Amino acid sequence: MSVIYFLIGCSVLLALIFLTAFFWAQRSGQNEDLYTPSVRILLDDSEQEEES
């Protein structure tokens, strides 16, 4: 029975770590530009291919 309490404690700790990482990502602006990645495939890559 004590193993269940340990696992519940570990899962709560892991959830708090993920929640903290999520809020950190929101504050640092990780999700500000939602438009560019969706149209990046439509942009012309010929300039990048000529440089390399």
Side-chain angles (χ1 to χ4, degrees):
M1 190 68 175
S2 63
V3 174
I4 292 175
Y5 295 134
F6 175 74
L7 290 176
I8 290 173
C10 288
S11 65
V12 168
L13 180 65
L14 188 64
L16 288 174
I17 291 171
F18 281 117
L19 188 65
T20 304
F22 173 75
F23 283 128
W24 172 78
Q26 291 298 318
R27 286 189 180 181
S28 66
Q30 295 287 326
N31 295 326
E32 285 183 1
D33 187 13
L34 298 176
Y35 179 69
T36 304
S38 64
V39 296
R40 187 174 294 152
I41 195 167
L42 302 175
L43 300 176
D44 190 17
D45 289 339
S46 62
E47 296 174 2
Q48 294 177 356
E49 291 173 2
E50 293 172 1
E51 293 174 0
S52 34

